[in-house]
Amino acid sequence: MTPVHDDEYVSLKENLLDFMRTHIYPNEMEFARQNRAFHSTNQWTHPSLLVELMKVAKKRGLWNLFLPVDSAALVEGRAGRGLTNLQYADLCEIMGTSVHFEFAAQATNCTSPDTGNMETIARFGSAEQKEQWLKPLLAGKIRSCFAMTEPDVASSDATNISIGIVREGDEYVINGRKWWCTGAGSLHTKIMILMGKTNPEASTHKQQSMLLVPMDTPGIKLIRPLQVFGDEDAPKGHMEIAFENVRVPASSILLGEGRGFEIAQRRLGPGRIHHCMRAIGQAERALALMCKRAESRIAFGKPLAKIDTVLSEIAISRADIDGIRHLVREAAYLMDSRGNTDPHTRKTLSLVKALVPQTVQNVVDRAIQLHGGAGLSADTPLAQIWTAARLLRLADGPDEVHWRKVGQLELEYQRTSQLRQLGYYTPPRGEGEPLFRYTTDPISDEARARLAEFDAAMSD
């Protein structure tokens, strides 16, 4: 499958912008209202508005845009437009200007965790797995979830994942607990990718495997939707799940036993960069509100926009947004040109994952501060945008893990840098080294006179 040409891409971008103006922005409040209606029930489905917009997006060709040209080739061109990651970065940012920040993404089948799961199955699934699960996911007929994080271990270190997966004949038996399984509470969610421990005796990075687990398998117990700052985020949500003797066929394994850590590293690279692309759109939304407020609000006899500190905050916010956008675009370009496993790509992806959510959070915080009490209320989307940015600082791993990876990869890179041997100006030691003086050297009459003068002065 060949990449989209520039003319086609420009047309696609205009199509998306029109879709946002016509269908997304005017319906944000209604989308929120319909979502809230699910808080009183345990049977979550897509709100009717989303279903209608999914049909519109599909008809307009705004569907599965996330699927990069190489992954699209793996599904024989059945889905996606064959965009590069760099092309998708711009479109994903546009989708991210919606509130809820995945409203437009859900309408176009470009939402988490489905995007990462679809790419995972496309890259690592068998022909039978693709037919059974990938095909309906690409069509938007079903949803999926991803079960990795566990409540009883530090899941930021994927080697700690310990839910038990035991081989019994032609089946795997799963026992344990997961949480923060996004989307697991929806009745549309039919398949789960689960990471667990199949061989505790293997080497550290060969102990875990990934399985495809149908959601209607006996023994899956949805404990509760976890609240994010008091919000269940229904009807998508984030579930705590207990697995009680859950049995799946041995053919459910992805790629093979002991390959779970490898898949996880490949999956989480593209997954969170999509979040970061959308987050830049959220920051643009916040900055637009910040500027509007600055020019419309009068304080101390003049518009806020006439106050130097406010102008500085606006300027810093613009610099912050443009800076992270350039970094995200570089990461997308490297994914296209070098692949996800290239060290420079991995380092840039980790930089993006750590820096973007924190920077967006800072931009939104400035906007909230300028709005005063209104910024904390539901009268603006700022509190919701801030919450989404804060959530991203833990999603797919905390900031600290990504900074740690950047540091490790940077040290590795610097070991071969030509600049490493430059910049030290330490003088030679031994023969040829400089000499200030020995402490026993005689001193001049002039210096002796100064010392005597100082001694007399201190004696008075």
Side-chain angles (χ1 to χ4, degrees):
M1 191 171 186
T2 56
V4 169
H5 293 299
D6 289 345
D7 290 346
E8 184 182 351
Y9 173 70
V10 170
S11 176
L12 182 62
K13 187 174 182 178
E14 286 300 321
N15 186 3
L16 177 61
L17 287 167
D18 182 70
F19 178 72
M20 298 293 292
R21 290 189 295 263
T22 306
H23 298 286
I24 296 297
Y25 302 138
N27 283 307
E28 288 178 346
M29 293 296 291
E30 178 60 18
F31 183 61
R33 187 192 69 78
Q34 291 188 16
N35 285 343
R36 285 195 297 271
F38 288 98
H39 287 185
S40 59
T41 178
N42 65 354
Q43 298 184 17
W44 293 356
T45 58
H46 294 326
S48 58
L49 172 62
L50 179 60
V51 175
E52 289 303 311
L53 293 185
M54 289 172 73
K55 291 191 290 187
V56 172
K58 208 172 194 180
K59 188 175 294 185
R60 295 181 66 149
L62 299 172
W63 196 256
N64 292 332
L65 301 178
F66 74 94
L67 206 62
V69 61
D70 55 343
S71 294
L74 294 174
V75 295
E76 301 173 353
R78 290 197 304 259
R81 297 294 294 271
L83 299 173
T84 64
N85 285 291
L86 183 57
Q87 288 172 326
Y88 181 61
D90 286 347
L91 303 187
C92 196
E93 178 183 328
I94 292 169
M95 287 189 277
T97 58
S98 66
V99 178
H100 180 285
F101 84 111
E102 284 197 305
F103 179 19
Q106 290 185 51
T108 56
N109 212 39
C110 293
T111 189
S112 66
D114 292 331
T115 54
N117 289 343
M118 284 188 271
E119 280 210 65
T120 296
I121 298 173
R123 292 180 182 277
F124 306 114
S126 67
E128 293 76 17
Q129 290 167 342
K130 291 177 184 178
E131 181 66 23
Q132 185 176 7
W133 302 117
L134 181 58
K135 190 172 180 179
L137 280 168
L138 289 168
K141 293 182 178 181
I142 66 172
R143 293 287 316 274
S144 64
C145 62
F146 186 65
M148 181 171 177
T149 304
E150 298 177 9
D152 298 325
V153 298
S155 303
S156 55
D157 178 356
T159 63
N160 283 335
I161 299 303
S162 59
I163 190 171
I165 302 176
V166 178
R167 179 75 179 259
E168 292 186 2
D170 293 332
E171 294 181 317
Y172 286 107
V173 183
I174 308 166
N175 280 286
R177 188 169 292 242
K178 295 284 187 180
W179 70 345
W180 295 107
C181 301
T182 300
S186 172
L187 292 174
H188 298 284
T189 298
K190 302 299 183 183
I191 188 65
M192 169 195 299
I193 298 180
L194 177 140
M195 182 169 174
K197 187 168 288 190
T198 49
N199 187 358
E201 305 305 319
S203 60
T204 302
H205 295 95
K206 297 293 184 180
Q207 297 180 8
Q208 286 84 10
S209 302
M210 284 197 186
L211 298 176
L212 288 166
V213 182
M215 290 298 290
D216 60 359
T217 306
I220 298 177
K221 182 179 180 181
L222 302 182
I223 303 296
R224 56 174 175 147
L226 297 160
Q227 296 186 350
V228 180
F229 294 113
D231 182 13
E232 291 180 350
D233 198 20
K236 189 177 181 181
H238 318 276
M239 284 288 163
E240 180 175 356
I241 306 177
F243 296 82
E244 301 169 345
N245 293 315
V246 175
R247 292 179 174 270
V248 296
S251 59
S252 300
I253 200 155
L254 281 168
L255 198 59
E257 280 197 16
R259 307 292 293 276
F261 193 88
E262 175 187 346
I263 297 173
Q265 293 306 303
R266 296 281 294 276
R267 181 191 184 279
L268 296 180
R272 193 169 170 188
I273 194 177
H274 293 170
H275 280 317
C276 292
M277 292 169 180
R278 281 189 289 269
I280 295 171
Q282 295 277 281
E284 288 285 7
R285 187 77 179 261
L287 181 56
L289 289 175
M290 186 180 182
C291 292
K292 181 178 181 179
R293 184 74 165 189
E295 292 190 317
S296 63
R297 203 72 165 183
I298 306 297
F300 305 106
K302 56 184 176 182
L304 294 177
K306 298 292 185 181
I307 299 174
D308 286 348
T309 54
V310 172
L311 290 172
S312 178
E313 296 280 86
I314 291 171
I316 291 170
S317 297
R318 168 48 61 204
D320 282 348
I321 294 172
D322 286 355
I324 57 176
R325 177 182 292 115
H326 285 304
L327 191 62
V328 165
R329 288 175 62 82
E330 180 184 358
Y333 170 76
L334 289 170
M335 290 168 68
D336 291 329
S337 59
R338 298 191 183 186
N340 299 346
T341 59
D342 172 77
H344 189 35
T345 305
R346 291 168 58 208
K347 182 174 69 175
T348 309
L349 280 169
S350 292
L351 277 171
V352 163
K353 293 171 185 178
L355 187 61
V356 171
Q358 175 68 80
T359 303
V360 172
Q361 187 182 338
N362 293 342
V363 171
V364 182
D365 193 68
R366 295 180 199 119
I368 289 173
Q369 194 70 14
L370 195 66
H371 279 76
L376 301 173
S377 74
D379 288 1
T380 79
L382 293 172
Q384 190 173 347
I385 294 173
W386 186 93
T387 298
R390 188 64 187 87
L391 171 66
L392 284 186
R393 294 184 60 199
L394 290 168
D396 295 341
D399 293 350
E400 292 79 4
V401 168
H402 303 305
W403 287 125
R404 176 175 178 267
K405 177 55 64 176
V406 171
Q408 290 172 338
L409 291 171
E410 184 64 23
L411 284 172
E412 184 179 325
Y413 165 76
Q414 290 292 345
R415 291 186 192 112
T416 59
S417 171
Q418 293 182 352
L419 300 178
R420 187 182 181 95
Q421 307 305 321
L422 305 177
Y424 286 123
Y425 299 108
T426 305
R429 294 181 178 176
E431 185 178 354
E433 72 177 347
L435 174 63
F436 184 65
R437 63 177 173 84
Y438 286 104
T439 57
T440 56
D441 284 351
I443 60 176
S444 66
D445 292 341
E446 181 183 357
R448 188 176 291 106
R450 290 200 303 270
L451 289 175
E453 182 179 354
F454 174 77
D455 185 61
M458 292 299 100
S459 300
D460 289 345

